[in-house]
Amino acid sequence: MKKTEYIRKPISMKEEMMLAFRYPRTALLIALHSLFRSLDIKPVHALLPPRLLQLYASEYCNARCAMCPVAESMKRQQKIAKETVDMAFVKKLVSGFGVFKPSIFLTGGEPLLNKEIINIIKYFDEKRIITTMTTNGMLLKKCAKELVNTGISVVVVSIDGPRPAHDKNRGVRGIYDSAVDGIKEVIKERNAAGKSFPKVNINAVINSECIDDMDHLLNLAKKLGIDGISFQHPAFYNDKIANANKVYCARHNIKADVIGMLCNKGVIRKEQMKKLEKFIEKAERSENPKVFIKPFTDSLEDYYSHRLPGLMSSCYTIWDAGIIRGSGELEMCLGYKIGNVLDKPVPELWNNSHARKIRLLVKKHKIIPACFRCCTLNFRFRI
C-alpha cells in the first residue's frame, strides 16, 4: 500500500477547464482552499467560506444501511429529522453565499426521495454552482434522463460488492440490481445527449461481507463504463471511544457525534487483512476505472484496530466543508451545530463563536474523540 497521500483526478484536464470556465467562483474557492491546505494554513478565524457544503436534500431514506453514520447520529439524538429541503430553502441558502460559491454535495437520507430534487439541481446550475450527488440508486433509473439534463457534474452510486452482500449490507433486497440499472440508464442518456457530464462513480464501503470478492466491483465498473470508483474504509467506534467523547464534550461544553457504527470487536477478520492489502495495492494501479482509496491511512492494521489516530493525523474539514441538515442547521462535524442557514448566511456562521471554538480545540488538541474514524481525517499511526 502506498504510504503517501496523493490526489487522482477522475476527469481530464480539458474537462477540469470546462468546469472552471462554467463555475468560476466555485473553482477559485476550491483553488484557494487547496493552496491553504498545502501550506497548512489553519487560522481560528477562517479566511475563506467553506468550499463544500453537504446538503441533506432529504432526511428520509429507503435503504437500511448497517454502517450509516447519519442513521446512527439521528438515533443518538433520539430523533429522526423529517425536514426536506425545498426550493424556498435553496434560494435562501444561495442568496447568502456572497462572492464565493461553495460546491454542493447532495446527500441524505436519499436525495432522490426529494420531489423537487431535479429543479433544485437545475437552480444550482443556473447560479453557476458545481453540484454532485450520492444515491443508493433505487430511484435512479426512473429519473436518469431528467438528471442528465440538470447540469449536475457527478453522480455517485453506492455499491459495496456482489448482489447478495450488497443487498444484505444495505438492508433491501434488489437494491443492487436497481443501482446497476440506474447507472446503465444515466450513462446511456448522457452518451445519447453527447455530454461529458455527469460523471458516474461508484462508492463502496469496505466490509467483511465483501472483502473476499472486491474484484467484482472493478470488473463491474469496467463493464458499465464507470468513470471512477472509491473504496471507503468504514467509520466505527467502540464503547470506550463513545464514553471518551461524552467526557470531552461535557468538559468543553460542546456536542459532537462520533461517526460510524458501534463495534467493540474487529470490523474485519484478521485473515481478511492480507486480502485487503493485496487488493488495495492492485486497485491503486488501475487506470480503467480510476480507483480512489479513502480516507488516507498509513497503516491498515492500525486503522482496523481500535488504536487512536496519531497526533500527526490531520483534518482540514472544519476550515473547508460544512454539513447542512434538512432543518437548516449548519454542522462542522456531525452533530456540532454552529447555527441555521435560514437565519444567517453561511459566511457569517462560518466564523461565529461556535465555529471558532471547535477550530481552537482541534488546533490545541490535534485529535478529539469525535475524530476517531471520521472519513475526512488523514490517519497517521506510524509517525
Side-chain angles (χ1 to χ4, degrees):
M1 188 179 65
K2 295 182 180 179
K3 300 297 183 183
T4 56
E5 299 166 60
Y6 66 101
I7 298 174
R8 304 185 72 191
K9 296 181 179 180
I11 61 176
S12 66
M13 180 69 74
K14 179 182 176 181
E15 291 166 336
E16 195 173 53
M17 290 176 66
M18 286 169 59
L19 287 179
F21 181 77
R22 181 164 178 78
Y23 309 101
R25 295 187 184 186
T26 303
L28 178 58
L29 183 58
I30 292 171
L32 288 172
H33 270 293
S34 296
L35 176 63
F36 284 14
R37 183 191 288 258
S38 67
L39 298 174
D40 198 31
I41 297 175
K42 296 179 178 179
V44 172
H45 190 287
L47 301 177
L48 296 168
R51 65 167 180 83
L52 173 68
L53 292 172
Q54 294 184 51
L55 177 59
Y56 282 61
S58 173
E59 295 277 2
Y60 293 102
C61 193
N62 47 0
R64 298 291 179 268
C65 307
M67 69 298 181
C68 179
V70 179
E72 287 298 313
S73 172
M74 290 189 290
K75 286 178 185 176
R76 284 194 290 272
Q77 294 181 46
Q78 296 183 327
K79 69 176 183 178
I80 297 178
K82 296 183 178 180
E83 296 88 350
T84 297
V85 170
D86 58 17
M87 283 300 299
F89 181 113
V90 169
K91 289 179 179 180
K92 177 75 172 178
L93 172 66
V94 172
S95 68
F97 280 171
V99 175
F100 292 113
K101 294 183 178 180
S103 58
I104 298 292
F105 180 55
L106 295 167
T107 184
E110 170 51 47
L112 292 179
L113 286 172
N114 186 319
K115 294 180 180 179
E116 294 189 70
I117 194 65
I118 297 298
N119 288 332
I120 286 172
I121 299 171
K122 285 182 178 179
Y123 182 78
F124 282 133
D125 187 60
E126 288 169 6
K127 295 298 179 179
R128 296 294 189 265
I129 296 170
I130 294 176
T131 310
T132 61
M133 180 181 71
T134 185
T135 174
N136 59 40
M138 292 179 69
L139 303 174
L140 190 56
K141 183 177 180 180
K142 183 171 67 174
C143 67
K145 187 170 185 176
E146 283 185 298
L147 192 61
V148 165
N149 292 312
T150 58
I152 193 167
S153 297
V154 183
V155 176
V156 182
V157 185
S158 298
I159 302 181
D160 300 326
R163 182 183 293 105
H166 181 67
D167 285 4
K168 180 180 179 181
N169 203 35
R170 298 289 169 168
V172 179
R173 181 179 294 179
I175 192 171
Y176 174 92
D177 290 332
S178 295
V180 170
D181 289 345
I183 289 171
K184 289 178 179 177
E185 197 68 16
V186 171
I187 292 175
K188 184 185 82 172
E189 293 293 343
R190 180 192 69 188
N191 293 345
K195 296 184 175 183
S196 299
F197 297 94
K199 298 301 179 185
V200 182
N201 292 354
I202 285 176
N203 185 71
V205 177
I206 297 168
N207 63 88
S208 60
E209 298 288 335
C210 302
I211 284 178
D212 294 333
D213 200 5
M214 292 178 71
D215 282 325
H216 169 86
L217 287 179
L218 288 179
N219 295 331
L220 177 67
K222 288 180 181 179
K223 180 180 177 181
L224 295 177
I226 291 294
D227 298 292
I229 180 167
S230 298
F231 290 94
Q232 182 175 338
H233 298 301
F236 61 92
Y237 64 98
N238 58 14
D239 287 328
K240 183 178 179 180
I241 295 299
N243 291 332
N245 187 57
K246 287 180 182 178
V247 171
Y248 186 90
C249 289
R251 181 182 300 153
H252 296 285
N253 193 28
I254 65 171
K255 181 175 177 58
D257 295 328
V258 185
I259 289 180
M261 55 185 176
L262 177 61
C263 182
N264 286 304
K265 298 181 180 179
V267 179
I268 62 175
R269 299 188 298 274
K270 287 185 178 180
E271 63 270 22
Q272 292 181 317
M273 188 64 70
K274 289 291 184 183
K275 290 184 178 180
L276 180 57
E277 288 177 345
K278 288 181 179 179
F279 173 79
I280 289 177
E281 287 177 0
K282 179 177 73 172
E284 286 181 324
R285 295 192 296 268
S286 172
E287 289 297 331
N288 180 28
K290 286 186 171 65
V291 175
F292 308 85
I293 311 295
K294 59 181 186 179
F296 169 82
T297 176
D298 63 358
S299 171
L300 281 178
E301 182 180 355
D302 288 326
Y303 183 94
Y304 281 92
S305 71
H306 285 97
R307 182 177 174 182
L308 294 173
L311 292 180
M312 292 302 291
S313 300
S314 62
C315 178
Y316 193 72
T317 301
I318 55 176
W319 281 269
D320 77 344
I323 303 165
I324 301 177
R325 305 302 290 255
S327 61
E329 293 287 349
L330 176 59
E331 301 179 354
M332 297 179 76
C333 298
L334 200 61
Y336 186 82
K337 299 176 175 64
I338 61 172
N340 196 299
V341 299
L342 298 178
D343 298 327
K344 293 182 179 180
V346 170
E348 184 177 340
L349 295 175
W350 203 241
N351 266 320
N352 66 16
S353 59
H354 302 293
R356 295 196 301 272
K357 182 174 183 176
I358 192 68
R359 291 193 193 106
L360 186 62
L361 288 172
V362 171
K363 283 177 70 70
K364 181 179 179 180
H365 299 139
K366 304 296 184 182
I367 299 294
I368 66 175
C371 299
F372 181 66
R373 289 298 182 269
C374 178
C375 57
T376 64
L377 192 67
N378 287 316
F379 290 86
R380 294 192 178 277
F381 297 97
R382 301 300 174 94
I383 57 173

